[in-house]
Amino acid sequence: MRFTHVELHRFALPLVRPFRTSYGVETARHGFLVRVLGPDGEGWGECVAEVEPLYSPEYTAGAYEVIKRFLLPRLDPADVHAAGIAERLAPVRGHRMAKAALEAAVLDAECRMDGISLATRLGTIPRLVPAGVAVGIQPSVAELLDVVGGYVAQGYRRVKLKIEPGNDVVPVRAVRERFGDALMLQVDANQAYSLADVAALEALDAFGLQHIEQPLPEDDLFGHARLAELIATPICLDESICSVRQAAEALALGACSVVNVKPARVGGVLEAVRIHDLCLARGVDLWCGGMLETGIGRAANLALAALPGFTLPGDLSASDRYFHRDLTEPFVLEDGCLRVPSGAGIGVTPLASALADFVTSSETLPLTAF
Ligand code: MG
């Protein structure tokens, strides 16, 4: 496709549940949208990097700078194809979330030009996909039970609890006892443990968890493989897997038996599809993670999660789990599921009223030949 320019729109979208950061309590999600435009059409993508580099080395302002200074100049404005973007941008090391945002916008534009949904382009059909919810560490067990109870009442198909050393067995036991064995329950440690904590992790075996996600540091595949021998709860990897090669390596080592894929973490939806294909071929359970996406990022995640290898509910929640108002028409739960948009491209676009209310600055950048 031919593109003449790219717009970057920073936004601040008020959150339903504020969260703590290094500099205080954050009441809004700060991110930015990427819009590619040209004579052949336009498309939207979302950068999901967080304001601080606490989940991954990337952060919002850095990703913005990388797109502007290093990624856009590498595109040939007369000939941009989503399938070739990763290779085109490969000389820029890392920065997968920035690359994923750009690829997403181009993919959306290509699908809109072809008049097909992203789900169709990825080889599946728009359908309902089971929705899961992730619950952060709460100030008390009573508050945790209240929060989980609210989501269970809404119909979410599975619940994920964030855990950390000293804040694991007690809350997990409380949730299991209150909501029973039928609740699909899993935990996410975000790298907070070491092999010295094996006793606490082994204690979680009593609660029938679907799996434990990323207990050890992201670069410790051998540690995860060792831990898998010591505990009964299956291990899922998130931060450790940034490419299909790393997914294959982790599975070969026995470092995990379940995979979480986030398109942004692996450099884009197309690399996520390759990880899907790997897991499907090997019979490995897979699910789609989330990063507090607005409707723009969520729509793309849902199209991906409609592929047949996504065997477990993902961190794909309704818009009102995160935001009072979304940037798009809100995604709503339907019997514990979310509907994959069937319109062309990602099937949603930002609402003019939402852009007017929540965009804090916009920049238009011309594309010129590298
Ligand atoms: Mg995780």
Side-chain angles (χ1 to χ4, degrees):
M1 289 184 75
R2 296 168 297 165
F3 296 112
T4 52
H5 55 286
V6 171
E7 295 173 358
L8 301 179
H9 301 278
R10 294 182 199 264
F11 62 81
L13 196 57
L15 289 161
V16 170
R17 293 181 184 281
F19 62 91
R20 275 187 294 278
T21 66
S22 303
Y23 45 85
V25 173
E26 190 56 82
T27 59
R29 156 100 202 283
H30 294 270
F32 65 94
L33 299 179
V34 178
R35 183 189 192 188
V36 293
L37 304 99
D40 299 329
E42 65 168 79
W44 289 88
E46 176 177 351
C47 182
V48 303
E50 296 177 338
V51 172
E52 296 184 289
L54 301 182
Y55 166 78
S56 88
E58 292 187 81
Y59 62 102
T60 313
Y64 191 100
E65 178 82 355
V66 164
I67 288 177
K68 190 173 162 180
R69 284 186 60 194
F70 303 116
L71 301 187
L72 294 183
R74 290 187 175 272
L75 299 182
D76 176 357
D79 184 24
V80 181
H81 296 289
I85 280 191
E87 191 179 347
R88 188 96 187 173
L89 302 179
V92 177
R93 304 298 181 195
H95 298 286
R96 291 179 172 88
M97 290 180 177
K99 292 173 178 177
L102 197 49
E103 185 201 84
V106 174
L107 252 183
D108 182 40
E110 285 182 0
C111 291
R112 288 179 195 274
M113 184 178 71
D114 294 339
I116 59 171
S117 69
L118 176 59
T120 304
R121 162 80 181 253
L122 299 182
T124 184
I125 52 169
R127 62 178 176 93
L128 286 170
V129 299
V133 67
V135 180
I137 291 170
Q138 301 296 310
S140 71
V141 168
E143 286 166 90
L144 174 67
L145 293 176
D146 273 356
V147 172
V148 172
Y151 292 137
V152 169
Q154 288 176 50
Y156 280 101
R157 299 290 183 92
R158 72 100 168 104
V159 171
K160 173 171 114 176
L161 306 179
K162 295 283 186 178
I163 59 169
E164 63 186 3
N167 212 342
D168 39 37
V169 172
V170 170
V172 169
R173 176 186 290 121
V175 169
R176 190 50 103 199
E177 286 179 352
R178 170 69 66 89
F179 299 100
D181 292 338
L183 176 67
M184 187 186 288
L185 185 64
Q186 63 199 52
V187 294
D188 185 359
N190 286 105
Q191 317 185 47
Y193 293 82
S194 74
L195 278 178
D197 301 310
V198 69
L201 297 171
E202 196 177 6
L204 293 173
D205 286 345
F207 305 111
L209 298 176
Q210 213 295 324
H211 57 255
I212 178 170
E213 181 180 344
Q214 198 70 47
L216 306 179
E218 63 183 17
D219 60 355
D220 192 5
L221 288 185
F222 281 111
H224 282 101
R226 176 76 184 120
L227 182 63
E229 295 171 347
L230 299 173
I231 64 174
T233 305
I235 293 174
C236 171
L237 289 179
D238 173 354
E239 290 95 318
S240 291
I241 295 177
C242 295
S243 66
V244 68
R245 187 178 300 127
Q246 288 177 331
E249 194 172 294
L251 291 170
L253 284 171
C256 67
S257 54
V258 181
V259 172
N260 157 337
V261 69
K262 297 173 181 169
R265 195 191 67 229
V266 303
V269 165
L270 299 180
E271 182 73 357
V273 170
R274 288 187 275 275
I275 292 174
H276 163 271
D277 295 347
L278 172 82
C279 291
L280 185 63
R282 299 197 183 175
V284 172
D285 280 326
L286 175 71
W287 55 279
C288 183
M291 294 289 295
L292 296 188
E293 289 89 352
T294 72
I296 294 296
R298 191 163 313 279
N301 283 357
L302 283 168
L304 175 71
L307 286 166
F310 284 86
T311 51
L312 296 172
D315 283 342
L316 299 169
S317 302
S319 295
D320 68 2
R321 155 71 180 83
Y322 308 102
F323 310 115
H324 299 289
R325 281 172 60 198
D326 206 331
L327 293 181
T328 63
E329 291 292 343
F331 284 90
V332 296
L333 280 186
E334 298 179 41
D335 190 25
C337 296
L338 293 174
R339 188 173 294 280
V340 179
S342 58
I346 55 174
V348 295
T349 48
L351 300 169
S353 58
L355 292 179
D357 290 346
F358 302 121
V359 167
T360 54
S361 69
S362 296
E363 197 168 5
T364 300
L365 304 160
L367 280 182
T368 51
F370 183 55

